[in-house]
């Protein structure tokens, strides 16, 4: 959908982004994500992401001014023992979400391209994204955009005292 504009987020976009985060994490929990969204924590985090030079927060905006998607990406140092082509920085796609009515219209692809271009401009040569295993649509999207699956992230709840 070419009439949807992709642009850096503005401070006034943060409430709409927070609503989309809620939708995203409800969907992911239905796919097996064991972690819940901390909405109060997110409300405190979004302004920090917005201001950080190491983070990219971008939105998809309709001609009517509706925020219909967002992407959150960051640049981080790799584990000290790792490097990729001589570098030890990595781009990370943290979250990407497009409102249901706008899915399948290349909005996510354009958001991803925006974040990747930002990373390239920052000198990043490799990017990763964690995907919930049951989210076949997301996995297919990233593979279509040149990403290669290479590992599975696991977790274990460490309960004690009869919990």
């Amino acid at each position: 959908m070419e009439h949807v504009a992709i642009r850096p987020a503005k401070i006034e976009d943060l409430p709409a982004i927070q609503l989309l985060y809620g939708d995203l994490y409800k969907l992911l929990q239905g796919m097996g994500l064991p972690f819940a969204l901390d909405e109060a924590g997110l409300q405190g985090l979004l302004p920090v992401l917005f201001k950080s030079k190491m983070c990219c927060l971008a939105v998809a905006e309709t001609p009517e001014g509706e925020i219909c998607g967002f992407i959150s990406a960051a640049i981080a140092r790799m584990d000290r023992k790792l490097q990729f082509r001589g570098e030890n920085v990595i781009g990370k796609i943290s979250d990407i979400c497009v409102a249901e009515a706008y899915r399948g219209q290349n909005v996510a692809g354009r958001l991803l391209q925006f974040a990747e271009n930002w990373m390239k401009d920052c000198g990043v040569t490799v990017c990763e994204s964690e995907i919930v295993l049951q989210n076949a649509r997301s996995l297919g999207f990233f593979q279509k955009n040149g990403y290669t699956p290479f590992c599975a992230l696991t977790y274990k709840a460490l309960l004690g005292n009869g919990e």
Side-chain angles (χ1 to χ4, degrees):
M1 181 169 278
E2 295 302 318
H3 64 275
V4 171
I6 308 300
R7 61 167 176 77
K10 299 175 186 171
I11 196 78
E12 58 265 21
D13 299 328
L14 298 185
I17 293 170
Q18 186 161 355
L19 287 174
L20 285 168
Y21 258 110
D23 293 344
L24 173 63
Y25 277 80
K26 283 178 196 160
L27 179 70
L28 293 176
Q29 283 189 298
M31 294 179 179
L33 181 74
F35 310 111
L37 180 64
D38 176 355
E39 297 211 21
L42 177 63
Q43 189 172 11
L45 176 64
L46 285 176
V48 174
L49 294 179
F50 173 76
K51 293 176 185 174
S52 174
K53 295 196 183 316
M54 300 302 283
C55 295
C56 173
L57 190 58
V59 296
E61 181 180 32
T62 69
E64 298 77 30
E66 175 190 3
I67 302 303
C68 63
F70 77 92
I71 190 165
S72 172
I75 298 170
R77 291 243 176 252
M78 291 178 150
D79 184 305
R80 291 179 62 153
K81 67 183 175 287
L82 300 175
Q83 58 178 239
F84 182 81
R85 297 184 181 156
E87 300 292 329
N88 75 341
V89 294
I90 189 166
K92 293 183 175 259
I93 304 296
S94 302
D95 294 292
I96 184 169
C97 180
V98 174
E100 192 171 348
Y102 294 88
R103 293 182 189 152
Q105 300 174 37
N106 198 35
V107 175
R110 293 177 55 222
L111 283 163
L112 182 61
Q113 188 63 57
F114 185 95
E116 288 175 349
N117 287 341
W118 171 78
M119 288 181 217
K120 288 177 193 175
D121 290 347
C122 293
V124 174
T125 59
V126 64
C127 180
E128 70 179 17
S129 181
E130 295 175 6
I131 301 167
V132 173
L133 288 175
Q134 292 182 18
N135 194 344
R137 184 175 187 164
S138 184
L139 181 60
F141 165 76
F142 277 97
Q143 287 179 302
K144 181 181 103 178
N145 283 280
Y147 288 69
T148 303
F150 72 96
C151 70
L153 181 66
T154 61
Y155 84 98
K156 177 182 178 182
L158 302 176
L159 304 176
N161 298 333
E163 289 181 45

